[in-house]
Amino acid sequence: MKRYALSAAVWVALLAPAALADTLELKDGRIIEDRKMTVKDDGILVHYVNGDLFIPKNLVGEHFAISESGEFTPRTDEEKEKFEKGFVPWKGKWIRKSKWERERKKRKEELAERAKKAKAGRKWINRLKEETANFTFEHTIPEETANEFIDLFEVYFKAFAKHWGVRRGKEPKLRVFFYHDRDYFMQRTNMPSGVLGYFKFFPLDEKELNVYNITNDREYTIDVIFHEVNHYLVNLIDPKFHYPPWVGEGLAEYYGCSKWDPKSKKLTTGHLQPGRLVIIKDEIERGERMSIADLIHMEQATGHHYTWGWALCHFLLETPKYAKKFKKFVLAMSKSRGFEKKDFHSGMLTVGPEETLKQLKKYLKVKSIDDLEKEWHAYVDKQLNVNTARGFENAARMAMRNGLLLRARRYYRKAVETGDASARAYYSYGQSLLYGKSDRKKAQEMFREAIKRAPLNAYAYMELGRLLRRDGKRKEGKRLMQLALEIEPDNESLWFRFEQDLDKS
Amino acid sequence: MLQVLRPLIVGFALTAMGLSTASAQTHENRRWGFSVKAPSSWKQFPVKTGERWIVDKFLCKRAYTSEESYAQKPEMRVIVFPHSRTKRKTGNPSDDKDQDKADEKDEKKKSDQPRQRVYRNYREYLQKTYQDGGYFFIKEEPGEHDGTTIEMLEAKVDKNAHYGKKRIIAWLFHLQDCVVAVDFNCFEAAYKDVKRDCYRSLKSFKLIDRDPELAKEDDSSNRVTAKAEREMTPEERMRYRRDQAEQAIRRVEDTLPDGWYTMRSAHFFAASNASKKFTKKVIKQAEAIRGWLDENLPYVGEDYVPTAILRVCKTTDDENAYRSGSGDSWDSVISEITVSERSWDPRYEMQWIAGLVAGYWFQQRAGQLVEFMPPWLRHGVLGHIATGVVRGKRLVFKPVSWQRDALRTGEREGKILETEPIVKMTAAEFYKAERQAGMTLRTQCASLCTYLFSKRAQSKKKTKNIIQRYFDNLNVVANELIEKTEKKKDKFKMAETEEEELELRKKRRETAKKNARFIVDESYKRTFSDWDGDDWKKLHSSWKRAAL
């Protein structure tokens, strides 16, 4: 008897080569339902009205429902012989057809139940709850994805606790609320668009962290987690002390770009914040170099604390002669009676700018803040440069925000040239090629690359469709635009582009 | 010129959405063919003028207190989602033929009309408009009521909830060509008390005969974009504004619930559920401010200022209930000024009205000029007018106690700035200075203008009519700048290299700074050409003597 040591996907393909599946959950939590699907060796082909989309196996989540139709079709003589005797293959064995039908029905029901559960899991009332050594989690993201992030939280906690000598002590475990997408995050928290996550540190006994899974951008999600959790971790140093924003946001950004390896469960720090770096370089170009005194004197958090604050913390933590001293300074700010403190609000204390400058000079053992500043500026000029795909992508995004579209195009091009760029980078590069002296052919190429890497990137289909229409391929273009709307029927922005384009024709 | 506006200014279809025509407790909708009763102690409440989705509102008579000690009345809304509005075009002619037909009818289609929001269903509507807090559904069940397919929903509002945790109860009734949502929103603390009444009310929903005439009416708006309005001649603009205002007033009149009444004066139309005494006081205040503006600032702009609607509410709760809507009912023409009789701090309601009437008047009269007003003038003049209160038969301008205190504290803390530098500040400089000086700076500007309008300042040669002279010069300078900018528009080019892009961005920023500087410097130079350092010192000390 031939043993069938094939993957489940192949087995299903053999059993029913015609269109089968009707619900699919992706690893990022998105659900595609009410579509005919064909299971392939290396993924799933989803049949939309306006075209077929291939979803590679690495994006497919564990849970999917299959509505099986069709019979087993034997391909070899041996298979034909077994089939004629009333046997069919099932999980590596040949079993009677009647048993196979019972098993198939059972599996179908199981899968349908799992698909239903996956969809239901996106409602808060059905949220999953987990508890670890230092956190409690409530979330609507798929379990597999959640487990990876949960590991990250604990490893991060332990690493920070080790670096800074902090302990949770009597502080209750931090409550973490994790949502499956941005819309749901906004609905659950009433936060405005643009907020990626937040750490609520007041009232003191109701601390919580709220974040969401950024679709198609796992790395960005992790960056946000690192940033927000850092606020909690710094808060643990002394919950009744408020660190001035150049430390608070500076450290959050420093840790915000840590790298996390889910396999080895290790994280590394000291990486670059390329988006922030672009803003800094831009400001230097405009002659707006930040001084240490000015940065420290800004007692209300501003964008400068995310950029220059990060750059200062990076310099102090990555320069061997200052690293330990700076850590000591940060800890002493809250713990040492040698620091003159002042009221912040609601019973919390902080340290004013003049006292900070005085103590910083003392702890770092520098002759003057001016000298320190010169070193710092030289560090920013010479040591901090963007060089990874991710880095270039972030830099491009920031350049876009600053209205430098051609610069953004260059950064996107560099990201793509590394060979390691995300689907989003390809898409954005494609868009940037339509500014000014546009290169429509190359833009089309980029949109197609984006689609290859993220087959459910509705925006890429929409833009590609619009371009094709402009180039005279109106039917094909319209098809792609309609396909985009099938993929994301609730996306207002896509509808707007679609209607705009139709109106123009 | 917008020829299309003359024949097509039809009445805003007041009953196209089928606003309630039955008793105070029942919403009867002949357009969509349904009726629903509110709980017995609840009263009908007006919806915002220009509201496109909510067709009726009811408020509980009683206010409940949340765990955060805020009081609020539970609210009921009836919201209609017509398929014709919620359905999207697909790009397939066979699917879109009805939509295309509707679009063809409307010849001047979309380019002059503001883009309107579309909410395709109740859940999306809630997601995009609900701002009382973060919520999640605890119940989402299909069902049937009297042969109609329904969805029964309940949600808890528990995160970042304003004023206290809340509860939402909603039933969605799926009719042949629309979905009707009837929802209730109350504090969690009130839920147990009101729950039974809410469900009883939901069960009162029934289908009734439709009036086919109502179905024919056009429920689209004839509003145009701000840009289209600017491009009209002054006469066309006047007609357009007057018609829009009259339409809005007619709508208010036609939909006035029990317990509300209207009053009209020369320039205002009030809809009120507060006491007649208070409403008359509000109208008197508004007219006094309007009269003062017409008399004392005739040199500011020349555009027509249409009748404004005053919404006078009995309580702040009522005012908040009135203001909440679908987020697309704001209109620059139909401006409503809301005020409440029993507000949280009634001492300042008249000043509040003064500020809003002034803001409305400036916007209508001289919209473009307002954009060029330097911050000292904008905060100064509007701030001054906002201190005006009718006392007996006179309008008296007197700063309120917190403003006087702010100035005295500012003086003690050295935050009072010299007058001349303030008058020369661009917006960027002003707001940077304000970060140091706090609210003292705006208060100082308002106080300065109060002084400049005073008899004392008017009796002095240097300061007599100084505000008018400044406005006159500002107007000329603004027009010069607009002309200069128009000429340069054709020279705009796209950057071809990064260096060019950086250079262009630098130039744009510098141009913006230069323009701001030009406005302030030229207005200052032309107005104060005969002033020297001593004159400024005298002004500063005269103002201080009067103000502190």
Side-chain angles (χ1 to χ4, degrees), chain B residues 372 426 474 477-478 480-482 484-486 488 507-523:
Chain B
F372 290 102
T426 60
L474 175 66
V477 169
E480 281 173 19
L481 183 63
I482 290 169
K484 230 194 287 183
T485 318
E486 284 296 326
K488 281 193 180 153
K507 261 202 183 120
R508 274 197 294 268
R509 283 192 175 154
E510 281 170 1
T511 304
K513 265 193 194 156
K514 219 168 95 183
N515 289 345
R517 189 82 265 148
F518 174 77
I519 291 286
V520 169
D521 287 350
E522 282 301 309
S523 305

Side-chain angles (χ1 to χ4, degrees), chain B residues 400-418:
Chain B
V400 294
S401 53
W402 69 260
Q403 287 166 318
R404 280 196 304 273
D405 293 342
L407 287 176
R408 282 172 193 152
T409 309
E411 168 75 343
R412 265 200 317 274
E413 293 177 358
K415 287 181 177 174
I416 298 286
L417 302 180
E418 289 291 321

Side-chain angles (χ1 to χ4, degrees), chain A residues 189 405-406 410 478 482 495, chain B residues 89-91 160 498 501:
Chain A
T189 63
L405 310 181
L406 293 177
R410 174 166 59 91
K478 192 173 172 188
Q482 288 174 320
W495 279 105
Chain B
K89 281 172 89 155
T90 62
N160 302 321
E498 277 189 58
E501 185 179 58

Side-chain angles (χ1 to χ4, degrees), chain A residues 408-456:
Chain A
R409 183 193 286 180
R410 174 166 59 91
Y411 279 126
Y412 279 127
R413 180 175 48 80
K414 283 190 157 176
V416 156
E417 281 170 359
T418 63
D420 200 24
S422 67
R424 201 190 261 209
Y426 280 95
Y427 168 74
S428 302
Y429 183 32
Q431 277 198 305
S432 76
L433 287 164
L434 300 173
Y435 309 140
K437 245 194 195 159
S438 60
D439 185 343
R440 297 223 294 253
K441 192 169 166 213
K442 188 136 183 100
Q444 283 185 32
E445 232 180 270
M446 291 301 112
F447 290 137
R448 290 187 200 281
E449 287 296 326
I451 287 166
K452 232 197 275 178
R453 286 160 179 74
L456 290 169

